[in-house]
Every structure is written in structure tokens, then in C-alpha cells.
Amino acid sequence: MLKLSVIIPIYNTPAPLLEHCISSIQDNLCLMDDEVEVLMINDGSTESHIESMLKAVETADSRFKYVSKDNSGVSTTRNLGIKMAQGEYITFIDADDYFESDALPYMLQTAMRTDVGMVMFGFCRNEVNIKERKLLKQRFEVNKEIIQTLISNNMDWWYSHGANLASVWAKVYKREKLLMHNIFFIQDIAPNEDGYFNLCLLCKIPAFYVDNTLVYHYFYYADSAIHKFSNCDIRIGKNILPRLEKIAENYTDDADYSTSISYRALKIIMSAKQSYFTHPQNTKSFCELKAEMDEFLSEPIIKKWIKRFRLRNVRSKMELKNIILLKLRLYSIVLIMDRCKRWINR
């Protein structure tokens, strides 16, 4: 049985970034035996360089396997990888990111030594490491604070330690735990599917291990799928909040879970405002946007959590402003302010 499966979902990744990603894996494999497979899954890319590049990599090294499928999104692509994987452990990498040159052997050895369902490692963004990062090598018992962190998606503490509990990259998962508990990605909550995937897993296992040694480089660029102009946050809000409520039902004796969902609902609304309603590429008229915003905020699940917002729980002036406007049903003021700023900056 193989020890590790590396899963790369690929969709129209620019050639230089994809080459760098694959090259970083090749550097790692030079330090490893035939204990690793790399599943390069092409999610229906339309760019011509993708298929030729991946087929050439597969021909040069049998440990790389090229898989082509119709476009259906990163969630179904990763799910296919989980089902196809032959490794005892699984790790994911986005096609525009890359590993440190000795990351994979270190990650595999740590996962085998700690023997937990999930091991989390350190990352940096766009080559900027966290200078004040403290070395962290610790087993964490899954408790209510961990679950609440994932429900609220408040990752400040983890980011300060160079780790990200809400991502699936820079992690190693024990494949049998995923299959045993039927843990797969949910398409209709993308791009929040990573955090929910980890949340579902941590609800089923007693502990995970964290080693924030830098192994992973996350590359931010404006044209990546997660940063493009999109109304997906509107859909996410309607789809993820009921799922979070269902998880919180197991902890009905603790009001902190309700606070965590309330905070997540506020973040979803604020994200929808930024990524869609006030996004510079959204050229719809004020009346059209106001109608869409009113419809979004009137969704029963969104309306329910707006009512539950509490001013005592705010963490910033920005959140306070948003909650007051939502409570007073004056959220369209943000559209007016945005249009005024655009007019002034012309």
C-alpha cells in the first residue's frame, strides 16, 4: 500500500504557476521512494497548455498520474482524488501553490509518528513569512473552542502561528478516517468547503496535531477563482448556515455556539457585500443591486441570524456599523456610499 497520495485539482492554472507547483513536488520526490503517488486532476480546463504539460509529467515519472474530467468544480475534483487515492495518507495542494523542497517527507513522517486523523503544518503567503512565529508542535484535543473557531471562521490565532485551520492545504489526512466517517467536500458552499470539511472531520475524531514548520507556500493572485468577482457568497449564506446549525444542535446546552454562528452569518453578509454588491466589476444599477440585496437579506436563514446579532459581541467598529445598519434595515446605505465614492474618484 502506498503511504501518501498528493492530490492537485487543476483548472486553467497559468503555466508558470503550474510548472512551479509540479517542480516543487518533483524536488520532494527525489527524497522519497516509490511510496508516493501524485494525482493531477484536470477539472475540464480550457487552456491548451494544461493537458500537454500534465501528460509530459506523467510520461517522465510513473508516480504522477494524469486524470481528466469534465468541469464540475474543486469540491468534486478533490472528492474524486480521495476516492482514487491509494495512499494511507492524503495531502492536497492547489495548482498555483508550492511545497518547500523537503516538505513531503517531513509531513509524512510527522503524520505516521503522531497517528491522528489530521496533521496541520505551517504556511506563508506570497513569500512573506511571519517573523514573530513561535514554534508550535502540539497535539490538540478537539473541544468546544476548536469547533466554535471553525463555525465562526475566526482564524486570527491560527494565522498568528503561521497555520490555517480553515484550509485543506498544508495538512495531512488519514484516508481511512475520511472514508470511515464519509467526509467529503460539499460543492454548494464553495469557497467555504475547506473549513466545513475540517469541521466535519474534527467532529468525528478526538484530536489533531499541529506542527507549524513552514512547508507550504500559498500564492495569492487576483485572477484565482477564490478572488474573482462573484455572487457565490449569496448562495453560500443560504447553504452553509443550516449545516452549521445542525452541527451546533449537538451542543444545545452552550450559548457560545449560537454566538459563533451569528458571527459567521455577519462575516458572510459582509463578504457578500464586498465580493458582489459593492464590487468594482458589478455594473448593475443601484435599484437592481438594492433589490438583490433586499432579497438576500430577506432569506429566512439570513433574516433569522440578523435578529440574533448582539452588539455586545462585536469585535470592531466595522462590525458594529454593519450590525446597526442591518438591524435598522438600512443596509442599502453601503450601496449609496459605494456609488458616491466611485463618482468622486472619477
Side-chain angles (χ1 to χ4, degrees), residues 44-76:
S45 296
T46 57
E47 296 291 338
S48 58
H49 69 272
I50 300 290
E51 183 172 16
S52 58
M53 183 188 303
L54 299 182
K55 283 187 174 180
V57 172
E58 180 184 47
T59 301
D61 189 335
S62 61
R63 290 175 292 184
F64 286 83
K65 297 177 175 60
Y66 173 59
V67 181
S68 182
K69 60 183 281 293
D70 293 336
N71 177 252
S72 57
V74 67
S75 293
T76 56

Side-chain angles (χ1 to χ4, degrees), residues 15-213:
L17 297 180
L18 182 56
E19 288 174 355
H20 195 190
C21 175
I22 292 174
S23 176
S24 76
I25 297 172
Q26 290 170 330
D27 290 343
N28 274 266
L29 264 54
C30 290
L31 307 174
M32 309 179 79
D33 298 323
D34 293 334
E35 57 189 356
V36 182
E37 66 173 354
V38 183
L39 301 178
M40 306 177 295
I41 307 179
N42 181 9
D43 183 31
S45 296
T46 57
E47 296 291 338
S48 58
H49 69 272
I50 300 290
E51 183 172 16
S52 58
M53 183 188 303
L54 299 182
K55 283 187 174 180
V57 172
E58 180 184 47
T59 301
D61 189 335
S62 61
R63 290 175 292 184
F64 286 83
K65 297 177 175 60
Y66 173 59
V67 181
S68 182
K69 60 183 281 293
D70 293 336
N71 177 252
S72 57
V74 67
S75 293
T76 56
T77 304
R78 287 173 176 161
N79 288 341
L80 177 61
I82 294 172
K83 294 171 184 176
M84 291 184 62
Q86 299 297 308
E88 180 181 356
Y89 295 93
I90 288 174
T91 190
F92 299 97
I93 180 171
D94 289 347
D96 46 12
D97 299 337
Y98 67 97
F99 286 119
E100 284 281 291
S101 59
D102 58 352
L104 290 178
Y106 182 80
M107 293 166 71
L108 177 59
Q109 291 165 10
T110 304
M112 295 175 66
R113 174 175 55 83
T114 55
D115 193 31
V116 292
M118 183 182 86
V119 183
M120 179 163 63
F121 297 91
F123 81 102
C124 68
R125 169 175 159 164
N126 287 15
E127 311 300 338
V128 179
N129 206 343
I130 299 175
K131 296 180 181 179
E132 302 301 324
R133 176 185 299 175
K134 295 180 180 178
L135 187 63
L136 180 65
K137 295 188 178 185
Q138 181 180 336
R139 175 187 169 98
F140 284 81
E141 303 299 322
V142 178
N143 55 30
K144 76 172 190 176
E145 286 77 15
I146 295 294
I147 301 300
Q148 288 168 8
T149 294
L150 278 164
I151 289 176
S152 67
N153 199 34
N154 181 17
M155 297 294 138
D156 292 349
W157 188 88
W158 294 103
Y159 289 156
S160 71
H161 288 77
N164 185 0
L165 190 59
S167 74
V168 295
W169 39 257
K171 312 282 186 301
V172 173
Y173 299 92
K174 202 163 189 178
R175 182 170 177 265
E176 70 172 7
K177 296 293 185 183
L178 301 180
L179 299 180
M180 178 190 309
H181 299 296
N182 195 34
I183 307 296
F184 290 97
F185 294 92
I186 307 298
Q187 177 73 17
D188 67 4
I189 59 174
N192 285 194
E193 75 279 10
D194 284 25
Y196 187 74
F197 180 91
N198 288 340
L199 174 60
C200 290
L201 177 61
L202 293 180
C203 285
K204 299 294 184 180
I205 61 177
F208 63 103
Y209 190 82
V210 177
D211 178 345
N212 68 344
T213 300

Side-chain angles (χ1 to χ4, degrees), residues 245-292:
E245 286 181 336
K246 190 171 183 180
I247 287 176
E249 285 175 1
N250 297 321
Y251 311 95
T252 52
D253 59 333
D254 197 326
D256 290 340
Y257 288 93
S258 179
T259 300
S260 298
I261 299 176
S262 180
Y263 183 70
R264 181 61 168 274
L266 178 60
K267 291 185 74 172
I268 287 171
I269 293 170
M270 292 171 64
S271 181
K273 175 189 68 177
Q274 182 175 355
S275 66
Y276 181 70
F277 292 112
T278 62
H279 195 284
Q281 294 179 20
N282 195 335
T283 58
K284 292 184 178 181
S285 69
F286 173 82
C287 292
E288 288 175 308
L289 287 175
K290 183 180 184 304
E292 290 185 20

